[in-house]
Amino acid sequence: MTQEAVYKKPTKYIFITGGVVSSLGKGITAASLGRLLKSRGIKVSIQKLDPYINVDPGTMNPYQHGEVYVTEDGAETDLDLGHYERFIDVNLGKENNVTTGMVYWSVITKERRGDYLGGTVQVVPHITNEIKERIRRVGQNEHFDIVICEIGGTVGDIEGLPFLEAVRQFSKEVGHDNCIHIHLTLVPFLGTTGEFKTKPTQHSVKELRGIGIHPEIIICRSRESLTPELKDKISLFCDTSKEAVIGLVDVPSIYEVPLALEKENLAEIVLKFLKIPAKKMNLEEWQKMTEEMNNAERVVNIAIVGKYTQLSDSYLSIIESLKHGGIQNNARVNIVWINSEQLEEEKDMEPFFRDVHGVVVPGGFGPRGIEGKIKAIHYARANNIPFLGLCLGMHCAVIEFARNVLGFKGANSTEFNEHTKYPVIDLLLEQKKIKDKGGTMRLGAYPCKIKKNTLLHEAYKKDLVNERHRHRFEFNNKYRDEFVAKGMGLSGIYTEGNLVEVVEVINHPWFLATQFHPEFKSRPNRPHPLFKSFVQAATLRLEEQEKLF
């Protein structure tokens, strides 16, 4: 007896480009559209096409590119993948981030193997074919109704031209009914004349059309709502239907962008173009979440002590995770930025932490600012301030405890001092022979066994979890007994590698540090247990302080 093959409808594609200026919010727009489509029962995935030549952002300075986001399968990716995951609440992977570096690496490798049979390798068709193949990969292992592809940079950037040409070709190959283009532009307001200007949008669309891409939908960023007359003008000059000119005004929170786009009927217009029957929308959970965020009754001050504090995007996932924890605790989180380098020259920590209800020391690399982080941790531990250390933050917490509780003078990590007498943090065994920097760390999700009757177990309420990693150094098992004897609990262990994943100080209201990065798995509607518990501890400290006054 034969079984008929199950027919799958073809995957449809939405390509999002940007014009006029960078940093308009293509990533948030793509993520918000994904949320709106998912709210209608559409199975959606999102991909970022980044034109930079780096293979991935893993070796970039955070000041250049913001945080490096890590996926479940160990890819170091653009921070926009964090937005995608948080908004559509799915785990993405390596195929969801494509760079020029990846594309050229693959093409050159094939050329060296002789795959092109001696032919001349060119941007068209070889590079464009590789890009198209990577777009198709998103739906190879799992079927999606719609794949949203965000193209980094702005139209006209020289490095983005191969991607736009590939997208133009791809659009013709899948057919008009299976693909649409959305162009995001800025409609600036001139204060001197008191009017909005549509000319930048017109020129941006003209540039895109010159490449051979005709956007069906234009989303206009502006400080205030566009008038019907402005929308009509953009529609006329950009050859787009009036209903497909979408206004997107500034909103207080990124989590309100899906609601703003829903008011503009974006999802319904997209489904109409793609000829997908509209299903009943359900945004109740999202609306409830944003209302709770906006109506929080108290404000907790959380200090982030880092060395990239001049660019908040360096710690984007941590900031968002703290907000998620605040929603669950009826609190709005106010971030207090503290530059760890500045602390190194200070003797009195009290002025920096006087009004702080919780302290976070995030990840990072290199010796700069480390002693300032250690000072901050010492102050938090000694003064019973809730503390959360992440990756490097855990290393600094272990160093601080070794110096000031165990009496290990000069204790350090071999990352900062190879000749320290007490290497309480040391290079992972598997890392000792690795020379290349890119993509060679311990990356992706690993299991962590949780010890019962610990702060960690109380937060997770589980015995085993999987969390994402990005590090080369680890807790030195040689010193385990000394730490435990003096009151530092080792509450999370990666049993297969016998690695310490989590430490906590026993006689402290809330002091916990993780080797992994819990911020990568937090969602606004499902805050990570550790951030939820940490913010709760901070609100308790706030309440205690309020009782004193």
Side-chain angles (χ1 to χ4, degrees):
M1 181 177 179
T2 60
Q3 288 184 335
E4 293 185 8
V6 177
Y7 172 71
K8 289 182 179 179
K9 294 181 179 179
T11 297
K12 307 209 174 194
Y13 296 86
I14 301 169
F15 293 100
I16 298 180
T17 53
V20 184
V21 295
S22 60
S23 301
L24 272 182
K26 293 193 304 297
I28 297 296
T29 301
S32 298
L33 177 56
R35 166 51 63 174
L36 295 179
L37 294 171
K38 185 176 181 179
S39 74
R40 288 164 167 80
I42 305 294
K43 191 172 183 182
V44 62
S45 186
I46 312 184
Q47 182 183 51
K48 178 71 180 285
L49 306 177
D50 248 327
Y52 56 72
I53 297 176
N54 303 66
V55 173
D56 58 49
T59 58
M60 291 187 192
N61 188 306
Y63 280 134
Q64 291 220 3
H65 199 264
E67 79 169 4
V68 176
Y69 192 79
V70 178
T71 59
E72 201 81 352
D73 61 0
E76 294 176 292
T77 73
D78 182 80
L79 58 81
D80 277 323
L81 267 76
H83 291 313
Y84 304 161
E85 286 200 351
R86 286 187 283 270
F87 276 66
I88 64 174
D89 197 11
V90 297
N91 290 331
L92 303 177
K94 294 178 180 179
E95 73 276 3
N96 295 92
N97 195 203
V98 179
T99 69
T100 296
M102 293 178 188
V103 171
Y104 273 82
W105 186 297
S106 177
V107 169
I108 291 170
T109 300
K110 291 176 182 178
E111 185 273 330
R112 293 288 84 188
R113 283 201 309 255
D115 290 8
Y116 300 120
L117 302 177
T120 302
V121 179
Q122 298 175 293
V123 173
V124 180
H126 300 94
I127 296 300
T128 52
N129 283 348
E130 181 71 24
I131 294 169
K132 290 186 289 183
E133 172 59 27
R134 287 174 180 267
I135 294 171
R136 292 188 183 95
R137 280 186 200 174
V138 175
Q140 281 185 346
N141 298 323
E142 183 179 359
H143 178 76
F144 296 102
D145 300 314
I146 293 176
V147 172
I148 302 170
C149 294
E150 176 200 347
I151 303 169
T154 57
V155 173
D157 294 343
I158 190 169
E159 61 266 31
L161 291 176
F163 286 92
L164 293 174
E165 171 59 19
V167 166
R168 184 194 68 79
Q169 295 176 20
F170 188 91
S171 303
K172 292 188 69 175
E173 291 169 9
V174 300
H176 183 72
D177 291 344
N178 294 321
C179 174
I180 64 169
H181 297 270
I182 297 176
H183 192 53
L184 181 68
T185 73
L186 175 69
V187 179
F189 180 81
L190 295 185
T192 53
T193 60
E195 60 182 340
F196 286 98
K197 287 297 183 181
T198 64
K199 192 66 71 175
T201 295
Q202 295 176 44
H203 281 293
S204 182
V205 172
K206 181 181 178 182
E207 181 89 21
L208 192 60
R209 287 166 65 93
I211 296 168
I213 295 174
H214 301 256
E216 286 84 359
I217 298 172
I218 299 174
I219 300 178
C220 303
R221 284 293 311 276
S222 59
R223 53 183 267 185
E224 295 178 17
S225 299
L226 300 183
T227 64
E229 291 76 18
L230 280 171
K231 288 188 176 183
D232 287 346
K233 185 176 181 181
I234 292 170
S235 169
L236 176 65
F237 283 96
C238 296
D239 193 23
T240 307
S241 64
K242 293 180 181 179
E243 69 168 1
V245 178
I246 305 294
L248 179 55
V249 299
D250 298 341
V251 290
S253 164
I254 59 173
Y255 300 114
E256 294 182 45
V257 174
L259 303 179
L261 291 174
E262 178 63 23
K263 289 180 181 178
E264 292 284 309
N265 213 28
L266 175 63
E268 296 293 327
I269 296 168
V270 165
L271 294 175
K272 181 180 177 181
F273 274 117
L274 293 175
K275 294 181 170 56
I276 297 176
K279 299 180 182 179
K280 186 178 180 181
M281 178 268 295
N282 182 4
L283 274 175
E284 290 181 5
E285 182 186 32
W286 199 266
Q287 289 171 326
K288 182 175 181 291
M289 179 268 294
T290 56
E291 288 171 4
E292 290 176 348
M293 178 183 289
N294 293 332
N295 297 324
E297 295 178 353
R298 50 194 172 183
V299 178
V300 289
N301 298 322
I302 304 295
I304 295 181
V305 184
K307 53 186 176 182
Y308 310 117
T309 53
Q310 289 174 292
L311 181 66
S312 61
D313 274 2
S314 300
Y315 304 115
L316 185 59
S317 290
I318 295 172
I319 295 168
E320 296 307 316
S321 298
L322 289 169
K323 291 179 183 177
H324 305 164
I327 295 170
Q328 292 293 309
N329 286 286
N330 191 24
R332 181 170 63 83
V333 172
N334 174 51
I335 304 296
V336 179
W337 294 103
I338 298 178
N339 189 313
S340 60
E341 282 188 279
Q342 183 182 354
L343 294 184
E344 292 186 337
E345 304 301 323
E346 300 289 339
K347 293 184 178 180
D348 185 9
M349 296 291 104
E350 197 273 338
F352 292 91
F353 298 97
R354 181 179 298 139
D355 300 317
V356 164
H357 309 116
V359 175
V360 176
V361 172
F365 300 93
R368 185 169 58 86
I370 292 301
E371 293 302 322
K373 292 186 177 189
I374 292 171
K375 280 186 175 183
I377 293 169
H378 176 72
Y379 189 86
R381 184 178 60 80
N383 291 276
N384 290 325
I385 302 174
F387 168 79
L388 175 61
L390 304 170
C391 198
L392 179 63
M394 171 183 149
H395 297 172
C396 292
V398 169
I399 294 168
E400 187 280 326
F401 197 88
R403 292 178 183 178
N404 298 308
V405 178
L406 274 63
F408 290 173
K409 186 177 180 180
N412 216 324
S413 166
T414 53
E415 180 182 5
F416 315 130
N417 181 359
E418 293 182 3
H419 307 293
T420 176
K421 183 179 178 181
Y422 300 103
V424 291
I425 301 295
D426 200 7
L427 191 66
L428 280 158
L429 183 63
E430 67 212 48
Q431 292 284 321
K432 292 191 182 288
K433 294 182 180 181
I434 292 176
K435 302 297 181 184
D436 291 345
K437 298 296 184 185
T440 58
M441 284 185 272
R442 185 176 181 233
L443 294 165
Y446 288 85
C448 172
K449 187 176 181 180
I450 299 175
K451 186 177 180 181
K452 286 182 166 55
N453 301 317
T454 60
L455 182 61
L456 187 67
H457 196 277
E458 183 181 334
Y460 277 106
K461 295 179 173 55
K462 291 181 180 180
D463 297 331
L464 186 70
V465 295
N466 282 279
E467 294 287 0
R468 302 179 191 179
H469 295 69
R470 184 175 183 251
H471 66 106
R472 298 185 192 279
F473 292 79
E474 62 165 325
F475 184 101
N476 192 336
N477 286 332
K478 175 183 175 181
Y479 298 100
R480 276 194 185 188
D481 292 343
E482 287 95 329
F483 277 90
V484 172
K486 290 292 187 177
M488 177 171 275
L490 313 180
S491 52
I493 303 291
Y494 170 51
T495 52
E496 184 178 330
N498 194 29
L499 302 178
V500 175
E501 295 276 14
V502 185
V503 300
E504 54 186 75
V505 174
I506 306 301
N507 296 317
H508 192 282
W510 207 100
F511 188 106
L512 186 146
T514 67
Q515 181 62 80
F516 49 75
H517 290 268
E519 67 269 23
F520 294 147
K521 299 187 76 167
S522 188
R523 310 283 189 258
N525 54 324
R526 290 189 300 105
H528 192 283
L530 292 183
F531 282 93
K532 179 181 176 181
S533 179
F534 171 68
V535 176
Q536 182 182 42
T539 60
L540 291 175
R541 180 174 177 82
L542 169 64
E543 292 172 1
E544 291 172 0
Q545 289 182 344
E546 289 176 339
K547 290 177 183 178
L548 299 176
F549 297 97

